[in-house]
């Protein structure tokens, strides 16, 4: 796979432990597992209540790709091919060569380096095939797992929207804005190298 990305074929990416591929209607039951989990959804939308909501989201993700508005990968486990994460780029502004990332992972895969591995793959894709100059991410400031991932990958905190959302505790939470420039990425690339998988994999 070389040259600039033009949406002609879905960009399948492979990492040591995962394959990032196009969402399929048959993934709805797997997506529902973590999108209905209140712990995973704590800093995100309301947990889903019915698998039809997952099917509808998959339709939207596929529609966004067809309309060339975004690229959303199903992160699948290489062992059994089942979807365990939703990672992708939205708001791709071609003129300004920037896009925003989003990511969430099924809870029993947390703390194993899978998110780091998948993020490294999509950032590499963004800075090479999409020719991005900037990748941004916005996260609730006290979503520590998310903030830590971004910092570990070299993202810099650029701003804070104070009291931006009301979370499940009924209080206002700040939202933090992070950015990673292509120049940062080239300089920090060794930090994106993922350690060997731990014994749990
Ligand atoms: C955000 C989210 C994807 C981060 O997942 P995660 O499991 O913390 O991230 P990783 O899979 O990369 O795991 C990292 C940790 O695994 C451990 N680890 C174990 N084996 C590892 C390996 N082979 N390589 C790297 N880290 C490994 C390390 O302790 C590492 O933490 P550290 O780098 O801080 O030391 C996850 O918390 C999530 O889905 N949250 C809910 C959804 C959400 O909030 N999304 C963000 C919305 S903005």
């Amino acid at each position: 796979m070389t040259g600039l990305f033009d949406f002609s074929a879905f960009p399948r990416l492979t990492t040591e432990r995962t394959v990032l591929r196009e969402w399929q209607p048959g993934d709805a039951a797997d997506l529902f597992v973590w999108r209905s989990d209140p712990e995973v959804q704590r800093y995100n939308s309301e947990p889903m209540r019915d698998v039809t909501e997952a099917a509808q989201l998959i339709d939207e993700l596929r529609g966004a790709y067809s309309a060339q508005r975004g690229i959303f990968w199903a992160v699948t486990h290489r062992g059994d091919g089942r979807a365990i994460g939703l990672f992708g780029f939205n708001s791709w502004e071609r003129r300004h060569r920037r896009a925003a990332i989003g990511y969430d992972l099924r809870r029993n895969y947390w703390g194993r380096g899978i998110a780091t591995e998948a993020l490294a793959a999509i950032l590499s894709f963004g800075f090479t095939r999409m020719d991005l100059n900037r990748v941004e991410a916005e996260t609730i400031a006290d979503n520590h797992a998310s903030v830590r991932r971004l910092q570990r990958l070299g993202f810099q905190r650029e701003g804070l929207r104070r009291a931006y959302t009301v979370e499940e505790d009924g209080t206002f939470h700040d939202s933090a804005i992070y950015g990673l420039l292509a120049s940062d990425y080239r300089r920090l690339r060794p930090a994106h190298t993922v350690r060997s998988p731990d014994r749990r994999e």
Side-chain angles (χ1 to χ4, degrees), residues 51-196:
V51 71
T52 56
E53 294 175 66
Q56 193 183 331
L57 176 57
I58 289 173
D59 271 357
E60 287 165 19
L61 300 173
R62 291 171 61 88
Y65 183 82
S66 301
Q68 306 195 356
R69 279 188 278 105
I71 311 171
F72 300 95
W73 286 272
V75 177
T76 64
H77 193 265
R78 269 183 119 168
D80 59 17
R82 294 182 60 175
I84 58 170
L86 165 53
F87 284 50
F89 288 108
N90 52 64
S91 320
W92 182 8
E93 293 283 347
R94 289 163 182 76
R95 174 179 155 77
H96 304 294
R97 293 174 52 204
R98 62 175 149 83
I101 49 167
Y103 41 88
D104 52 61
L105 192 67
R106 186 171 162 153
R107 184 145 52 104
N108 59 321
Y109 287 92
W110 289 3
R112 300 190 193 187
I114 300 273
T116 305
E117 203 171 303
L119 282 169
I122 73 170
L123 289 172
S124 166
F125 181 84
F127 285 120
T128 54
R129 302 282 321 280
M130 293 163 73
D131 197 28
L132 296 177
N133 180 55
R134 169 186 170 81
V135 173
E136 56 195 18
E138 184 159 4
T139 185
I140 304 297
D142 45 19
N143 183 352
H144 302 298
S146 177
V147 164
R148 188 164 167 85
R149 273 321 90 218
L150 295 170
Q151 288 173 336
R152 290 284 240 193
L153 290 165
F155 281 77
Q156 288 184 28
R157 182 175 284 202
E158 297 174 334
L160 198 69
R161 298 179 202 251
R162 294 172 303 148
Y164 192 63
T165 56
V166 176
E167 295 302 320
E168 60 171 16
D169 60 6
T171 70
F172 290 108
H173 288 244
D174 298 339
S175 182
I177 297 162
Y178 283 84
L180 180 72
L181 300 187
S183 53
D184 303 330
Y185 176 73
R186 283 191 291 271
R187 189 163 40 82
L188 296 166
R189 215 167 177 163
H192 288 233
T193 307
V194 180
R195 303 200 305 264
S196 296

Side-chain angles (χ1 to χ4, degrees), residues 34 36-44 47 105 107 110 168:
W34 75 91
S36 62
D37 179 341
E39 184 67 20
V40 178
Q41 293 303 104
R42 186 163 162 206
Y43 301 104
N44 208 335
L105 192 67
R107 184 145 52 104
W110 289 3
E168 60 171 16

